[in-house]
Every structure is written in C-alpha cells, then in structure tokens.
Amino acid sequence: KRAEVQKLRALISSALQKKDPLWQKWLRQTWKVSELPDGVRFATLRFDNDCVCSVLTLQDGSERHGPLRKSIREAEKDLADLRALQRSTGDTAACAELEARDVQAMTAFFASRLDQRSRR
C-alpha cells in the first residue's frame, strides 16, 4: 500500500509540474528536455532534483530505482539494459544488476569527492 501511495504522489507531482511555466523553463535549461522520458525520474543526491535515475517496474508491479545519474542519457541506458536483462533472465537478475550499478555509481561519486578534497 505504501508503494501505491508513493506512486500516486509522484504522478500528482509530475502532473502539477507539467503545468508550471517556471518548472518547464528550468527543465529545458537544466536538463535540455521538455519532460523526462518514461522510466526516468528525478532524484536527489545533494540538492533537490540534481540527478535522475531509472525506474524499473517488476513483474508484481513494484518499482526499483536505479543508480543516481547526472545525465538523462545514462539513466535511459540503465533502464534499457535492465529491461533487457529482466526480459531474458527475470526480476531477480535485473534487481541484482541494478544494485551492483548503484554501488558502482555511489562508490564513484564518493571517490571523486575524496579526490576533490585531497586536492585542496
């Protein structure tokens, strides 16, 4: 039930944002799109909506969010790869790959932050 409520909130938020001219301007300027592609959602790493992630829908209708990405293209690639894996081997393998990609992305992010701090 909680997942259904979250999904409904995301749909309502998305519908409201599509009507907001300032949101549309920000979306075009920041992300170079008029709307996010299906299966891609905004996420937050350091600031609201500063990254995107793929959203994989499992056979039972639940959703799993992929790794945080700084580009829509990367999130779309994740989603295409994960969907292909899901079709060929099922949800379990796709979720395992999603988790592995998430660990890789977070490790790369934290490593880059450490590298930036060590250069100061």
Side-chain angles (χ1 to χ4, degrees), residues 14-29:
S14 176
L16 291 173
Q17 288 171 344
K18 287 179 182 179
K19 300 290 185 189
D20 182 353
L22 290 175
W23 175 261
Q24 287 297 314
K25 182 178 179 181
W26 175 83
L27 193 58
R28 284 190 301 277
Q29 288 177 344

Side-chain angles (χ1 to χ4, degrees), residues 56 58 82-83 85-86 89-99:
L56 181 67
L58 304 181
L82 292 166
R83 283 179 174 167
L85 185 60
Q86 183 183 37
T89 59
D91 284 348
T92 302
C95 288
E97 176 63 18
L98 184 147
E99 290 171 12

Side-chain angles (χ1 to χ4, degrees), residues 1 3 6 8 10 19 26-27 44 46 52 54 58 61 66 70 76 78 80-81 83 88-89 92 100 103 106 112 120:
K1 185 172 183 170
Q6 288 177 333
L8 186 57
K19 300 290 185 189
W26 175 83
L27 193 58
T44 299
R46 295 173 53 205
V52 291
S54 59
L58 304 181
K70 290 305 245 175
E76 287 180 306
D78 285 335
D81 294 348
R83 283 179 174 167
S88 65
T89 59
T92 302
V103 168
M106 293 308 286
S112 72
R120 290 182 187 170

